[in-house]
Amino acid sequence: MQYAEIVAAVLGGLALAWIADLATGRRGLGATVLVSGVGLACGWFLAVRVFGVSTMTEWLWTLWALIGSAFCLVAFFLFRSKR
């Protein structure tokens, strides 16, 4: 499969968003999916474009993308506004 890495990263990001939504007891899955997607993109950008530690044909960038997603989700729940 040519795009297995991309599919794995997207499914991993969705899983992280779902777990974060369940763990916090919220009902805003859309917001966590959005934050997770932005984190995936940031992690990919850091791995492939900024640091150059991976290419799109390797699996290492998916790990970076998932770490970026987790980091963004933690930051989202720490710094979101509470009304």
Side-chain angles (χ1 to χ4, degrees), residues 25-45:
R26 308 281 187 259
R27 295 187 180 190
L29 185 60
T32 56
V33 168
L34 179 65
V35 170
S36 180
V38 170
L40 284 172
C42 291
W44 168 83
F45 187 77

Side-chain angles (χ1 to χ4, degrees), residues 8-63:
V10 169
L11 291 178
L14 288 173
L16 282 175
W18 181 64
I19 291 169
D21 188 51
L22 285 177
T24 58
R26 308 281 187 259
R27 295 187 180 190
L29 185 60
T32 56
V33 168
L34 179 65
V35 170
S36 180
V38 170
L40 284 172
C42 291
W44 168 83
F45 187 77
L46 284 174
V48 175
R49 294 292 182 181
V50 175
F51 297 129
V53 297
S54 180
T55 63
M56 288 294 290
T57 58
E58 300 173 2
W59 281 90
L60 184 61
W61 73 266
T62 58
L63 178 66

Side-chain angles (χ1 to χ4, degrees), residues 1-8 11 56-57 59:
M1 288 183 50
Q2 187 176 8
Y3 299 108
E5 301 94 355
I6 297 171
V7 171
L11 291 178
M56 288 294 290
T57 58
W59 281 90

